[in-house]
């Protein structure tokens, strides 16, 4: 698929040929009109190649992403739903898990349900079901780039417990195949608070298909305790939908490059489409792979985190629980790249993965 010349236009080439810049790219705030998603505030972002949904009332998470018209993210059987349907106890989180490109887990609990002291903590925490405030969007020229950005602040607070803020900025550029996210987590309280943050990055068909594979500098592969029979020998290969297996969760170490950046690719070589995720290993020192291969589900998840998957009590018991001191802040940066041609895939393989073959 040849790239369209207009995607590389300079500002002076655009202006005489359009009535408004939004003819080619822009951001449209909207609210869902029916079903469980009724009233859910969101932003529709278009940059010429990418189109994606930012879910303002669901933790500023990202729903479906299309690149050159190809859907890349996985949408769960739940579909889009308002946070008001969240069931916090036990595994109730799954009943409101929409999927989408990014579901944020945290901020004081991620992983398995547990009891930590006097607190009963459900699966993956609360943050993805909380609405953002101070939401805003910008469409602006920065030099020769037409930049599109959405931002918002999500508060997770409780009397006598945590007072945390997640400030998120999501940015892309006209003609680009990249989305960048910058998160800042701030402790606005007067006492230290636990910090557990996991990105549930969800990819689906047609990117996920039999013959798709994972590329990256991955070592020390081991099964999560909850799926001890995971197929470690073929961890990087995506099988067809399974009748017998619901999911496999696999822990791994991802070796960073000389700048401390980790890069992972999921590629479907039959369709010449791929997804590349890049992150800072110092911000997210742990990584897990979710293979939800059950038929009718069929998803692959990348899960970078600053914590394990067994919940806060286990993290505290094992001495790995991070804390934010009063007014301390922590920054997390990620890049999501989408590829739709063999040429793009081969170029990225050379540049980020050292000329690895698929």
């Amino acid at each position: 698929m040849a790239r369209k010349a207009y995607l590389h236009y300079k500002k002076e080439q655009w202006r005489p040929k359009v009535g408004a810049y939004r003819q080619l790219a822009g951001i449209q705030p909207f609210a869902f009109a029916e079903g469980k998603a009724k009233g859910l505030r969101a932003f529709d972002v278009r940059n010429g190649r990418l189109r994606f949904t930012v879910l303002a009332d669901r933790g500023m998470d990202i729903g479906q992403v299309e690149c050159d018209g190809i859907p890349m993210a996985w949408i769960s059987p739940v579909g889009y739903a308002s946070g008001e349907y969240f069931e916090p106890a036990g595994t109730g989180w799954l009943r409101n898990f929409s999927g989408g490109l990014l579901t944020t887990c945290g901020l004081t609990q991620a992983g398995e349900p547990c009891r930590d002291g006097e607190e009963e903590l459900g699966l993956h925490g609360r943050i993805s079901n909380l609405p953002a405030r101070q939401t805003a969007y910008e469409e602006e020229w920065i030099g020769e780039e037409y930049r599109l950005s959405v931002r918002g602040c999500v508060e997770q607070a409780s009397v006598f417990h945590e007072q945390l803020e997640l400030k998120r900025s999501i940015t892309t550029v006209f003609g680009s195949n990249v989305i960048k996210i910058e998160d800042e987590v701030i402790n606005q309280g007067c006492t230290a608070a636990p910090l557990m943050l996991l990105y549930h990055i969800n990819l689906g068909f047609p990117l996920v298909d039999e013959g798709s594979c994972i590329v990256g500098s991955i070592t020390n592969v081991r099964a999560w305790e909850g799926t001890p029979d995971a197929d470690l020998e073929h961890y990087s290969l995506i099988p067809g939908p399974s009748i017998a297996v619901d999911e496999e969760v696999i822990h791994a170490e991802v070796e960073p490059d000389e700048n401390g950046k980790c890069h992972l690719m999921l590629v479907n070589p039959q369709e010449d489409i791929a997804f590349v995720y890049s992150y800072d290993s110092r911000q997210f020192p742990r990584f897990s792979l979710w293979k939800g291969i059950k038929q009718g589900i069929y998803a692959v998840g990348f899960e970078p985190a600053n914590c394990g998957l067994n919940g806060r009590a286990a993290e505290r018991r094992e001495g790995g629980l991070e804390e934010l001191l009063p007014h301390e802040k922590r920054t997390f940066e990620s890049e999501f790249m989408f590829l739709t041609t063999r040429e793009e895939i081969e170029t990225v393989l050379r540049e980020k993965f050292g000329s690895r073959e698929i």
Side-chain angles (χ1 to χ4, degrees):
M1 182 187 299
R3 291 279 78 80
K4 303 300 182 183
Y6 77 89
L7 294 173
H8 305 285
Y9 273 17
K10 302 297 184 183
K11 183 178 180 180
E12 64 272 13
Q13 294 174 287
W14 268 49
R15 195 63 194 99
K17 297 184 178 182
V18 296
Y21 294 129
R22 289 184 182 180
Q23 180 175 322
L24 298 181
I27 300 172
Q28 180 62 52
F30 72 99
F32 288 85
E34 61 181 9
K36 291 177 68 176
K38 185 175 181 179
L40 174 64
R41 294 177 304 143
F43 295 90
D44 177 32
V45 183
R46 300 176 298 110
N47 79 352
R49 287 197 66 187
L50 296 174
R51 185 169 191 171
F52 59 95
T53 304
V54 178
L55 303 168
D57 282 345
R58 289 296 304 268
M60 292 293 292
D61 284 338
I62 300 177
Q64 184 56 273
V65 178
E66 294 181 2
C67 184
D68 298 327
I70 301 170
M72 296 287 189
W74 173 72
I75 302 298
S76 84
V78 174
Y80 293 131
S82 167
E84 68 184 82
Y85 295 97
F86 175 47
E87 299 178 17
T91 59
W93 182 89
L94 292 170
R95 291 194 172 275
N96 219 38
F97 175 33
S98 299
L101 178 70
L102 174 61
T103 297
T104 309
C105 304
L107 294 169
T108 60
Q109 153 70 359
E112 289 294 283
C114 64
R115 182 181 180 86
D116 184 35
E118 297 180 353
E119 282 192 85
E120 293 289 347
L121 302 167
L123 179 69
H124 283 328
R126 299 175 176 273
I127 194 67
S128 72
N129 284 280
L130 297 176
R133 65 182 184 89
Q134 297 179 345
T135 57
Y137 68 95
E138 292 182 334
E139 308 158 328
E140 58 181 344
W141 285 99
I142 306 293
E144 288 297 334
E145 289 186 341
Y146 192 55
R147 189 173 301 174
L148 307 168
S149 61
V150 182
R151 64 181 185 273
C153 176
V154 188
E155 296 175 319
Q156 180 179 318
S158 173
V159 177
F160 304 127
H161 293 286
E162 75 275 6
Q163 298 178 48
L164 298 179
E165 284 185 349
L166 168 65
K167 293 185 176 180
R168 173 166 289 173
S169 175
I170 301 171
T171 304
T172 189
V173 172
F174 174 73
S176 172
N177 60 343
V178 172
I179 300 170
K180 294 182 178 180
I181 292 184
E182 180 174 323
D183 282 348
E184 186 176 73
V185 182
I186 309 164
N187 183 358
Q188 298 289 15
C190 296
T191 58
L195 176 62
M196 299 180 73
L197 183 65
L198 179 149
Y199 285 176
H200 213 297
I201 300 166
N202 310 292
L203 308 167
F205 179 84
L207 176 59
V208 175
D209 203 356
E210 188 171 6
S212 297
C213 61
I214 296 162
V215 179
S217 296
I218 297 173
T219 62
N220 195 20
V221 175
R222 58 204 187 280
W224 172 59
E225 299 89 329
T227 59
D229 297 324
D231 183 0
L232 299 183
E233 182 180 357
H234 303 104
Y235 79 91
S236 65
L237 303 178
I238 309 304
S242 173
I243 298 174
V245 178
D246 287 352
E247 64 176 357
E248 297 178 342
V249 180
I250 297 168
H251 297 309
E253 294 179 10
V254 185
E255 296 183 2
D257 64 18
E258 63 276 11
N259 299 312
K261 301 292 185 181
C262 296
H263 309 286
L264 293 163
M265 175 186 284
L266 177 64
V267 57
N268 182 336
Q270 285 76 39
E271 297 288 349
D272 288 337
I273 54 177
F275 166 77
V276 180
Y277 176 57
S278 300
Y279 65 100
D280 192 316
S281 62
R282 293 157 292 194
Q283 297 169 354
F284 287 128
R286 306 199 206 181
F287 178 82
S288 300
L289 173 67
W290 175 55
K291 297 170 77 172
I293 56 177
K294 181 179 180 178
Q295 64 177 6
I297 301 298
Y298 207 53
V300 169
F302 289 172
E303 299 183 1
N306 75 334
C307 57
L309 297 181
N310 292 324
R312 195 170 83 196
E315 203 73 5
R316 188 187 300 278
R317 186 169 58 249
E318 295 166 6
L321 182 63
E322 290 192 28
E323 289 191 330
L324 277 182
L325 298 177
H327 310 299
E328 186 181 5
K329 64 180 66 174
R330 200 77 54 83
T331 299
F332 302 86
E333 298 172 323
S334 291
E335 180 180 284
F336 305 85
M337 179 184 291
F338 305 87
L339 311 173
T340 59
T341 68
R342 171 68 58 165
E343 181 182 5
E344 283 187 323
I345 293 169
E346 291 177 346
T347 297
V348 173
L349 283 170
R350 288 194 302 271
E351 293 177 351
K352 293 185 181 291
F353 300 93
S355 298
R356 295 173 182 267
E357 295 183 359
I358 301 173

